[in-house]
Amino acid sequence: MPKKKIAADELVWFFHEKLADSNFPKARIAIIPIGGGNWSALTNANERRHYPDLAKTVARIEKQLRLRYSSKES
């Protein structure tokens, strides 16, 4: 199945939807296009220091979303 192309702000919204029921509902997420429709999710370094599981949670969500979505900004 081809990946659906969506904007970075929509990807951020998906992250916040998935983080809503976690310990990190207000985590700051940035989506960075890395070319060819690929993207990466970044979190605030200060938040990662205070919440070590945040990086693992974001990586898990990123893996799920990368299977379905590519970035419009390529």
Side-chain angles (χ1 to χ4, degrees):
M1 174 180 0
K3 293 181 182 181
K4 182 179 177 184
K5 290 187 178 227
I6 63 174
D9 58 340
E10 291 177 279
L11 284 167
V12 170
W13 186 81
F14 284 137
F15 269 91
H16 285 288
E17 282 282 309
K18 291 186 177 284
L19 288 170
D21 295 329
S22 73
N23 294 334
F24 322 107
K26 298 186 188 253
R28 291 178 264 176
I29 306 289
I31 302 298
I32 307 299
I34 54 177
N38 293 322
W39 54 272
S40 183
L42 300 178
T43 57
N44 182 293
N46 193 31
E47 290 178 344
R48 286 193 311 268
R49 277 193 296 278
H50 284 98
Y51 307 105
D53 291 335
L54 176 61
K56 292 177 193 172
T57 303
V58 168
R60 180 181 47 79
I61 295 169
E62 181 179 11
K63 186 175 180 180
Q64 293 171 357
L65 294 177
R66 274 190 177 172
L67 294 174
R68 293 188 205 157
Y69 302 106
S70 65
S71 175
K72 279 186 181 179
E73 299 85 9
S74 54

